[in-house]
Amino acid sequence: MSTVKVSSNFETSKQKVWEAITNPEIMKVWYFDLSNFKLEIGNEFSFYEPDGKEFFHKCKVLDFEENKMLQHTWTHPEQSKGCSIVTWTIEELESGKVEVTLTHEGLDSFADGGEKFAPANYEMGWNALVKTSLRNYLYNIKRLIFTQEINASASDVWNKMWDKDLYPKWATIFCEGSYYIGEMEMGNRIHFLTPKGEGMFSDVVYMTKDNLMILSHIGMLSDFKEMALDAETERWTGSFEIYRLEEKGAKTIVTAEADCVDKYVSYMNEKFPLALQELKKISE
């Protein structure tokens, strides 16, 4: 049977991880809104994805051991007759770090639901949840959200946003002379640079033209070269920067989301709205 297994190590306590995967108020912050979840064997709970009502999830707690393991079913009764099992395990390593492992078994039972339920999609989703969303909660990395209404079509805004000649005109708000190298296509590596060769390298993990761009920031650049991940970078690598474009009549609503460590929150809160206002100017 098809299985997805995702593991990641964190500098935290087993108790904090346990609370993150069993406390509904905390889960709402980084995971899903599981308002009817109870830590009781046999408890049935249900939820939708955060951004819509397309996928109804229905689950039942099968087993748990405090601070060590949680296991429950995972079904999509509106789209598939299949049933799978999700298991969370928490283990303290000799290094002092805590290893969190998510195992999702039985994914082939969702074959009747179509391509959206392919194991590869679950793998992408669980990697994002465990390695980024859970990590962000444990390390207090904030998800900042900014919006800007632009009097132009989504296609026009998208082109102004990512055209290599025009990108520097709005990105210069963050750092004068900013530009990027690479092609904005799904799966590609992008270098975001200053004229001095400093910056960040990122991967395009998902993209639908004129609608959605998801960047995963991997590490830092120096002298135009990718630097090895150090202890500080390890804490935020994989953080997301997301752009959503929603066309409403003759206008487009741009929503930007950025994962941000504490020391840059004030800077981003100041600069991001200004950058989106500059994007508005060059798009209209």
Side-chain angles (χ1 to χ4, degrees):
M1 300 180 77
S2 297
T3 299
V4 166
K5 187 174 183 179
V6 178
S7 294
S8 196
N9 299 340
F10 304 108
E11 294 178 354
T12 189
S13 67
K14 294 173 66 176
Q15 178 64 30
K16 189 169 184 179
V17 175
W18 181 251
E19 290 175 352
I21 66 172
T22 60
N23 184 321
E25 289 304 310
I26 295 176
M27 286 190 278
K28 191 185 302 183
V29 173
W30 71 273
Y31 187 47
F32 297 105
D33 186 358
L34 276 59
S35 57
N36 56 351
F37 173 87
K38 294 180 181 180
L39 193 57
E40 299 173 358
I41 293 178
N43 167 242
E44 293 188 347
F45 58 97
S46 56
F47 58 96
Y48 285 95
E49 68 281 10
D51 297 328
K53 299 287 186 179
E54 184 177 1
F55 301 111
F56 178 69
H57 305 67
K58 187 174 182 180
C59 311
K60 181 170 72 173
V61 177
L62 298 177
D63 198 6
F64 69 89
E65 186 175 356
E66 189 171 352
N67 294 330
K68 291 185 178 180
M69 182 271 294
L70 170 66
Q71 185 177 76
H72 58 78
T73 62
W74 179 287
T75 69
H76 300 280
E78 295 180 351
Q79 288 101 354
S80 171
K81 296 179 181 179
C83 181
S84 61
I85 295 176
V86 169
T87 305
W88 293 90
T89 58
I90 308 169
E91 181 181 358
E92 189 169 356
L93 304 176
E94 291 183 2
S95 64
K97 292 184 177 182
V98 171
E99 182 178 64
V100 179
T101 301
L102 179 289
T103 306
H104 196 164
E105 304 172 90
L107 294 171
D108 55 349
S109 70
F110 297 143
D112 61 338
E115 292 183 2
K116 291 184 178 180
F117 297 91
N121 291 332
Y122 286 94
E123 183 174 17
M124 181 174 66
W126 284 121
N127 268 286
L129 282 167
V130 175
K131 295 182 178 181
T132 300
S133 297
L134 176 58
R135 186 275 312 279
N136 287 357
Y137 166 72
L138 295 173
Y139 290 171
N140 198 31
I141 295 174
K142 303 290 196 304
R143 172 65 62 88
L144 307 179
I145 301 176
F146 309 93
T147 61
Q148 179 65 61
E149 182 180 281
I150 299 176
N151 295 311
S153 68
S155 177
D156 284 345
V157 175
W158 181 273
N159 291 334
K160 300 294 193 303
M161 182 179 286
W162 303 120
D163 181 275
K164 287 185 177 179
D165 292 327
L166 296 175
Y167 172 83
K169 292 187 177 182
W170 66 274
T172 195
I173 297 295
F174 297 107
C175 181
E176 188 173 353
S178 294
Y179 67 103
Y180 75 84
I181 295 175
E183 298 303 321
M184 287 292 183
E185 299 291 344
M186 195 158 66
N188 284 358
R189 172 65 54 89
I190 307 297
H191 285 191
F192 293 97
L193 289 155
T194 70
K196 294 182 179 180
E198 308 297 314
M200 181 180 296
F201 62 95
S202 311
D203 291 338
V204 181
V205 295
Y206 192 81
M207 188 192 89
T208 53
K209 191 175 184 299
D210 303 337
N211 174 248
L212 178 64
M213 174 70 77
I214 302 180
L215 298 164
S216 176
H217 297 313
I218 307 302
M220 302 303 295
L221 297 166
S222 182
D223 194 24
F224 302 95
K225 298 176 183 178
E226 296 181 6
M227 305 300 292
L229 304 188
D230 58 18
E232 181 179 356
T233 308
E234 286 282 3
R235 294 180 70 87
W236 59 257
T237 186
S239 292
F240 290 127
E241 187 169 329
I242 303 170
Y243 295 89
R244 306 177 194 274
L245 278 62
E246 182 183 4
E247 197 169 281
K248 292 187 174 181
K251 298 181 179 181
T252 296
I253 307 300
V254 177
T255 302
E257 303 177 27
D259 295 336
C260 189
V261 296
D262 271 347
K263 67 179 181 179
Y264 292 120
V265 167
S266 295
Y267 173 83
M268 295 295 275
N269 278 331
E270 175 191 356
K271 296 295 185 179
F272 230 118
L274 296 176
L276 292 181
Q277 288 171 24
E278 192 63 29
L279 177 63
K280 176 181 174 70
K281 290 179 184 177
I282 67 174
S283 297
E284 294 183 348

